Amino acid sequence: MTTLQPDPDGDVGQESFEVTHRRVLAITLPMTLAFLTTPLLGMTDIAVIGRVGDAEMLGGLVVGALIFDFVFAVCNFLRAGTTGLTAQAVGAGRPRETEAVFLRAAVLSVGIGVALILCEPLVMAAGLVAIAPGPAVAEAASTYVFVRMFSAPFAFLNYAILGSVLGRGRSGLALMLQIVLNGTNIALSILFGMVFGWGIPGVAFGTVCGEAAGCAAGLVAVASLRSGRLPRPGEIFERAGFRQMLGVNRDIMIRSFCLLAGFLLFTRLSATFGPVTLAANGLLMHLFSTGSYFLDGVATASEQLAGIAVGARRRPAFDRTVSLTCLWGVGVGLGLAVVVFLLGDMLIDFLTTDPAVRASARAFLAFAAATPLVGALAFVMDGIFIGATWSRAMRDMMVVSLAVFVALGYGLTSRFGNQGLWLAFEIFLGLRGFTLLAILPSQRRRTFAGAAA
């Protein structure tokens, strides 16, 4: 058994902390359910506009949502960075620093959100240049983005709230907050978009209200977890603390850019084979994206447990976190691979009725089935490195992995076609995990130098 004791300089005692299979699952299961509520929101918006609008309006929703997915995915560092820093403060038994981390993240979140509102015309213009939709679709997308952009401060503050709650190990509370946020969002999007007949603006306004409601509930939840007086302004705006948060968030943002660039390159190269292969690859990638929510649950467990172990400077607890979360990550990846391989034909038929797309997707189903297993280690290692705030190393390995993928993507595709593209993508996923695993021992030695064995 590995038990963490409080830092003698901490404000309050740290409860005993044991890294077990049960503790890993206690975080993984509720967070998997929480992450799975997210795609339901997108499906609801599409269903609403599909019933009240025309093809141009539906296309505008898809384009607008794509722009937000890109911007919000890049800004996910507000959640990840907060989780790691909060978990370390919890592990060190420093509750005032725990509060200070959240308040720093809150200030940063609101600031970025307000800046995005002010820059909305530039964001929209860049999105339209990148996607180049038709005039009617562009007009609908512009309306959606203009209204929904007002949700940015609330959405980013929700990232900080979720990171703080997860860093404290309250995965059940995190699940409840995600249900409130996405449930309210879905209900209001249906009300405003379909019942009131407001269409695109209604769906976007429902999202703004849902984010605001989730933010209000989250702030109440965070306040209920407070164990003492709030940190003084000098502690919140302490230069070293802000510098650390900005450095961690910068590295995670660059890593997210590289990851999105990899998926963008996969789509771009898929398009060179024609619309049928593009649609088939997109369909198969959708299966991987859905499965990734399960792997995200394990990654969240590795973030929180690794962060507490680093904060408490307990190397045995950290080592056990690595071993258990890797075991569960690979196990979940293997399970997903089996499900996709065995049920792939049925899933393909459900997602498309086009005979040519069905045939093309079936031809590469084995590659899609392998992706959760090949990429499982990358999810877990990302969580470990985020929890330990080894963000610079994680960023560097992502850059290396992306460079290899670019070289292999063009090289193998030109020689082996779509089969070569999938092979390059599998190598990209695997390389992400194994490069991080390779440098983990050196990172661990530096972090735990002089710590208790």
Side-chain angles (χ1 to χ4, degrees):
M1 182 181 75
T2 302
T3 303
L4 304 184
Q5 300 299 329
D7 186 328
D9 296 327
D11 297 316
V12 296
Q14 163 73 25
E15 61 178 328
S16 63
F17 172 76
E18 187 180 350
V19 183
T20 63
H21 288 284
R22 182 177 180 179
R23 186 133 193 175
V24 171
L25 290 178
I27 302 171
T28 298
L29 294 179
M31 288 317 302
T32 298
L33 293 175
F35 291 136
L36 285 173
T37 64
T38 300
L40 293 177
L41 175 59
M43 292 171 60
T44 300
D45 288 350
I46 290 175
V48 168
I49 298 303
R51 288 177 178 271
V52 304
D54 52 22
E56 286 77 12
M57 189 178 294
L58 184 59
L61 173 67
V62 171
V63 170
L66 183 62
I67 293 172
F68 272 98
D69 287 346
F70 181 83
V71 174
F72 282 23
V74 170
C75 291
N76 188 53
F77 62 80
L78 293 165
R79 199 281 304 164
T82 304
T83 300
L85 294 171
T86 300
Q88 290 186 22
V90 169
R94 302 175 60 200
R96 290 177 70 84
E97 177 62 15
T98 301
E99 304 298 337
V101 167
F102 169 69
L103 292 172
R104 290 172 198 143
V107 170
L108 191 60
S109 299
V110 174
I112 294 175
V114 171
L116 269 177
I117 291 176
L118 297 177
C119 295
E120 183 272 334
L122 295 177
V123 173
M124 190 65 227
L128 292 180
V129 169
I131 302 173
V137 172
E139 182 180 358
S142 297
T143 300
Y144 178 82
V145 170
F146 174 78
V147 176
R148 187 178 170 184
M149 191 62 79
F150 288 98
S151 73
F154 302 115
F156 295 157
L157 190 50
N158 281 326
Y159 283 173
I161 290 168
L162 182 59
S164 182
V165 171
L166 289 175
R168 300 168 196 249
R170 304 300 183 94
S171 54
L173 178 58
L175 171 59
M176 291 177 58
L177 291 177
Q178 291 299 104
I179 291 175
V180 169
L181 192 159
N182 290 324
T184 304
N185 197 333
I186 289 171
L188 292 180
S189 293
I190 293 174
L191 177 65
F192 298 146
M194 187 161 62
V195 177
F196 289 179
W198 294 354
I200 285 280
V203 167
F205 185 58
T207 299
V208 175
C209 294
E211 293 285 359
C215 186
L219 290 174
V220 171
V222 171
S224 71
L225 298 177
R226 186 162 55 89
S227 56
R229 292 180 299 173
L230 287 173
R232 296 183 299 275
E235 296 175 274
I236 298 171
F237 295 99
E238 180 212 4
R239 180 176 297 179
F242 250 110
R243 185 184 297 116
Q244 182 187 27
M245 174 165 283
L246 290 173
V248 169
N249 288 340
R250 176 202 63 212
D251 295 333
I252 296 175
M253 182 180 69
I254 294 172
R255 168 258 182 196
S256 298
F257 262 124
C258 291
L259 184 59
L260 289 171
F263 283 99
L264 180 62
L265 177 62
F266 180 88
T267 303
R268 183 181 180 87
L269 292 176
S270 296
T272 63
F273 300 117
V276 171
T277 301
L278 175 62
N281 282 358
L283 185 152
L284 294 174
M285 189 60 71
H286 179 73
L287 298 180
F288 170 65
S289 298
T290 302
S292 70
Y293 290 110
F294 293 87
L295 292 170
D296 278 333
V298 184
T300 301
S302 65
E303 286 178 31
Q304 200 262 335
L305 298 176
I308 290 182
V310 168
R313 293 183 60 74
R314 295 295 188 268
R315 178 170 169 170
F318 179 84
D319 290 344
R320 186 155 175 79
T321 294
V322 173
S323 62
L324 290 188
T325 54
C326 282
L327 178 64
W328 279 105
V330 172
V332 170
L334 178 60
L336 290 170
V338 171
V339 168
V340 173
F341 186 77
L342 294 180
L343 302 181
D345 288 346
M346 183 179 69
L347 295 172
I348 290 169
D349 290 345
F350 175 77
L351 292 172
T352 182
T353 58
D354 189 297
V357 175
R358 283 179 171 179
S360 181
R362 286 190 174 92
F364 299 99
L365 178 61
F367 286 103
T371 51
L373 179 59
V374 174
L377 186 60
F379 280 82
V380 176
M381 285 294 107
D382 276 354
I384 295 292
F385 275 64
I386 288 172
T389 59
W390 297 337
S391 56
R392 180 176 298 180
M394 182 177 67
R395 175 202 68 191
D396 293 344
M397 294 303 100
M398 173 59 82
V399 171
V400 170
S401 299
L402 178 62
V404 172
F405 177 49
V406 171
L408 291 179
Y410 283 102
L412 294 179
T413 298
S414 63
R415 186 174 178 83
F416 300 106
N418 196 43
Q419 188 174 20
L421 175 58
W422 274 103
L423 180 58
F425 184 70
E426 302 284 359
I427 293 173
F428 172 56
L429 293 178
L431 194 61
R432 284 182 54 214
F434 282 104
T435 53
L436 292 177
L437 182 63
I439 65 172
L440 187 146
S442 61
Q443 294 289 130
R444 180 181 55 193
R445 282 194 298 271
R446 285 194 292 268
T447 297
F448 293 101

